[in-house]
Amino acid sequence: NFRCDAEIQQLGLLGTSVLAASGDSGAVGTSHCTGNRYALNPGYPTTSPYVTSVGATMLVGQPTPYEGPASVCTEREFTCAAEGLEDPADENFGGYATGGGFSVYEARPPYQDTVVTQYLDDQSIPKPPSSYYNSSNRGFPDVASNGYNLIMRQNGKWVIVGGTSASTPIWGGIFAIMNDHLALNGKPPIGFANPLLYQMFADGQGTFLNIGDLTTNNDDGCGSTLGYTSNPNGWDPVCGLGTPNVANILSYLDKMMPTLPDAF
């Protein structure tokens, strides 16, 4: 892991952002309900402090139908959503549970210390038994995006897909939009993005939408005690900082422009 971490850090210095899906096995991760070193045993590389770990959400209830001109949304087998209530992707409703928790090996990075400490200290949020995970280590995911009932073109047909491997490329696209915006203003790409993401959240500019409440978690069917509960007021090991508001993110970058170095 640590050799790979070193390579990922070098990519960040070169201006490349590395993202990783948080996993589709809920809090249990690679333990498959039986436990390993800890009862909650997340995988790698999503637990690396040098990648942006992405969780998944899903629309619940009765989303507002999309009535625009997109052809895929007018085909008989699809009803696209314009907006709706988002919750963490959950085993009981979405067929998989978004991954999240704490690394077994990687120490907590300074950029997330404030929000993780707030989550751990909040006694109103139920948590798994303390012996099941190492709360002093790196928490994940960092962010989230919709990862359920997404439409994708495959072999000439539209198909429905889902998973954190579907939500992660959405954030890859957002990073591309951010980098284009920076490049148009003569600034370098974001590279390693996590310190910027957590600073955005701390500055309270509406760059993230909080996901979930005390009724939502990433239980994967191994029992509710093996799922982390969402934090209604901040970061949690279910959907991280939340889902993006891209317009507000670009506005935030605009405010930062005078402080950023020029591109090489």
Side-chain angles (χ1 to χ4, degrees), residues 120-136:
L120 293 170
D121 288 348
D122 191 334
Q123 299 301 309
S124 70
I125 304 174
K127 303 175 182 69
S130 59
S131 61
Y132 282 18
Y133 63 99
N134 188 338
S135 63
S136 64

Side-chain angles (χ1 to χ4, degrees), residues 103-126:
S103 172
V104 175
Y105 303 105
E106 307 263 20
R108 184 193 305 158
Y111 60 74
Q112 67 169 189
D113 192 50
T114 298
V115 294
V116 174
T117 299
Q118 183 271 328
Y119 169 82
L120 293 170
D121 288 348
D122 191 334
Q123 299 301 309
S124 70
I125 304 174

Side-chain angles (χ1 to χ4, degrees), residues 1-261:
N1 290 11
F2 298 113
R3 171 62 188 275
C4 188
D5 280 353
E7 300 297 330
I8 294 172
Q9 289 180 74
Q10 292 184 60
L11 288 171
L13 292 173
L14 292 172
T16 299
S17 303
V18 180
L19 301 93
S22 69
D24 299 348
S25 298
V28 168
T30 60
S31 297
H32 304 295
C33 304
T34 60
N36 193 353
R37 178 176 176 184
Y38 294 98
L40 306 177
N41 190 43
Y44 184 89
T46 195
T47 51
S48 169
Y50 305 106
V51 308
T52 299
S53 175
V54 183
T57 66
M58 60 186 294
L59 294 179
V60 296
Q62 297 294 325
T64 303
Y66 173 77
E67 298 179 351
S71 62
V72 66
C73 295
T74 60
E75 295 185 12
R76 182 174 300 172
E77 63 267 37
F78 297 122
T79 300
C80 296
E83 60 182 19
L85 175 65
E86 277 185 285
D87 265 357
D90 182 86
E91 178 82 13
N92 298 317
F93 301 102
Y96 76 95
T98 184
F102 294 85
S103 172
V104 175
Y105 303 105
E106 307 263 20
R108 184 193 305 158
Y111 60 74
Q112 67 169 189
D113 192 50
T114 298
V115 294
V116 174
T117 299
Q118 183 271 328
Y119 169 82
L120 293 170
D121 288 348
D122 191 334
Q123 299 301 309
S124 70
I125 304 174
K127 303 175 182 69
S130 59
S131 61
Y132 282 18
Y133 63 99
N134 188 338
S135 63
S136 64
N137 278 356
R138 192 271 206 263
F140 76 103
D142 300 299
V143 292
S145 182
N146 185 23
Y148 183 63
N149 274 356
L150 299 177
I151 303 173
M152 184 181 75
R153 193 73 171 174
Q154 184 179 57
N155 297 326
K157 297 181 180 180
W158 292 109
V159 296
I160 299 291
V161 298
T164 54
S165 57
S167 61
T168 302
I170 293 176
W171 265 99
I174 293 169
F175 282 0
I177 292 171
M178 294 168 67
N179 284 333
D180 283 349
H181 192 69
L182 290 169
L184 288 172
N185 288 274
K187 303 301 181 181
I190 54 178
F192 176 43
N194 288 5
L196 172 62
L197 297 175
Y198 283 82
Q199 187 60 50
M200 283 183 185
F201 179 84
D203 288 345
Q205 299 299 305
T207 49
F208 297 96
L209 173 67
N210 185 77
I211 301 296
D213 53 32
L214 293 180
T215 67
T216 53
N217 62 16
N218 56 355
D219 171 25
D220 66 351
C222 293
S224 60
T225 58
L226 294 184
Y228 295 96
T229 301
S230 296
N231 178 2
N233 301 305
W235 178 93
D236 55 56
V238 183
C239 288
L241 301 172
T243 56
N245 183 314
V246 178
N248 288 350
I249 287 174
L250 296 182
S251 295
Y252 186 92
L253 292 180
D254 285 337
K255 294 175 183 178
M256 289 186 61
M257 290 295 178
T259 67
L260 298 175

